[in-house]
């Protein structure tokens, strides 16, 4: 079974590729740089390219993980949407299952451009009969992505904010997310839909940060209560 993965060298992509290969999948990386994993085929791919990517004709599924995480690059929502449209066009006549890894912040009334962009892309994917996956707060493994950023904050700061009322998240280990994505690839009974992969029981964000401090950093940290209304007032 051949799987093409955009963003295969990223935080989630690295674990996804490794687990997929262990399970016997033929994985092709679509990324700017070649993966260090020797058994991995590679297609050079730039997220900002305007050309139609060439997908192998025997591809069973394409998992779109690649995303613009660089604040230095001015890739607007229109460009990100165009990127997905190109990928959908490339797989349209191949019978390829298309899986877009989105965000739990995606919704039509999202308060941030990020959430609005993800929601717009979701609508494009669903219209093309693709599958949308909204992961919870991903953690574990190498210290990269948002998880890596949170670990760095916990390492450097003795005092951490405890926002009130407490925001809640649904964590998921990066390996569990990878396993879930592979199961979606293999399960042909799953039709076009929005799937959420995360712990069914939400926890307070401060609990999540405390777990990072205890299990990863192995240091105690103190939390300072900060009302969310105060933060909004300062930013307005």
């Amino acid at each position: 079974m051949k799987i093409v993965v955009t963003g295969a060298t990223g935080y989630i992509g690295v674990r996804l590729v490794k687990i997929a290969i262990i399970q016997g999948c033929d994985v092709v990386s679509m990324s700017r740089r070649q993966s260090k994993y020797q058994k991995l085929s590679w297609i050079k791919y730039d997220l900002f390219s305007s050309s139609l990517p060439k997908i192998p004709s025997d591809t069973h599924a394409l998992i779109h993980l690649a995303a613009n995480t660089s604040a230095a690059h001015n890739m607007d929502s229109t460009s990100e949407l165009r990127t997905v449209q190109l990928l959908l066009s490339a797989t349209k006549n191949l019978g390829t299952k298309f899986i877009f890894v989105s965000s739990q912040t995606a919704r039509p009334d999202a308060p941030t451009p990020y959430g609005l962009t993800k929601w717009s892309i979701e609508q494009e994917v669903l219209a093309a009969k693709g599958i949308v996956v909204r992961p919870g707060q991903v953690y574990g493994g190498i210290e990269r992505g948002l998880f890596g950023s949170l670990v760095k904050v916990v390492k450097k700061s003795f005092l951490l904010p405890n926002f009130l009322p407490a925001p809640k998240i649904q964590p998921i280990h990066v390996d569990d997310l990878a396993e879930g994505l592979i199961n979606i690839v293999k399960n042909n009974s799953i039709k076009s839909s929005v799937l959420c992969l995360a712990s069914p029981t939400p926890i307070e964000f401060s609990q999540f940060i405390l777990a990072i401090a205890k299990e990863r950093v192995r240091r105690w940290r103190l939390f300072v209560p900060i009302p969310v209304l105060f933060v909004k007032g300062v930013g307005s």
Side-chain angles (χ1 to χ4, degrees), residues 32-162:
R32 286 177 297 175
R33 63 183 187 276
Q34 193 165 7
S35 171
K36 296 179 181 179
Y37 205 88
Q38 294 180 352
K39 297 180 181 178
L40 196 61
S41 301
W42 178 54
I43 298 174
K44 190 172 183 179
Y45 175 66
D46 189 339
L47 186 65
F48 311 120
S49 174
S50 59
S51 59
L52 194 69
K54 294 182 179 179
I55 310 297
S57 60
D58 58 343
T59 300
H60 178 78
L62 185 147
I63 302 177
H64 184 39
L65 278 171
N68 174 32
T69 57
S70 173
H73 200 293
N74 296 322
M75 185 180 186
D76 59 23
S77 59
T78 303
S79 299
E80 291 199 57
L81 185 59
R82 179 58 179 159
T83 296
V84 172
Q85 289 171 337
L86 288 170
L87 289 172
L88 288 168
S89 295
T91 59
K92 183 177 180 180
N93 298 320
L94 300 179
T96 299
K97 182 181 291 188
F98 192 98
I99 301 170
F100 169 57
V101 181
S102 183
S103 166
Q104 288 193 336
T105 64
R107 63 176 195 262
D109 60 344
T112 64
Y114 179 83
L116 289 170
T117 298
K118 292 298 183 184
W119 184 83
S120 296
I121 294 174
E122 287 184 358
Q123 306 317 299
E124 195 77 21
V125 172
L126 294 172
K129 306 301 181 185
I131 296 171
V132 171
V133 174
R134 295 177 181 171
Q137 176 63 62
V138 186
Y139 71 94
I142 56 178
E143 294 174 7
R144 293 178 62 186
L146 177 57
F147 172 67
S149 298
L150 291 174
V151 172
K152 287 180 182 178
V153 169
V154 174
K155 284 180 178 179
K156 294 180 179 180
S157 304
F158 180 74
L159 295 175
L160 298 171
N162 181 19

Side-chain angles (χ1 to χ4, degrees), residues 211-224:
I212 290 177
K214 293 173 63 177
E215 303 298 331
R216 177 63 66 124
V217 180
R218 300 197 180 278
R219 293 287 187 276
W220 286 102
R221 293 291 183 261
L222 295 178
F223 287 86
V224 179

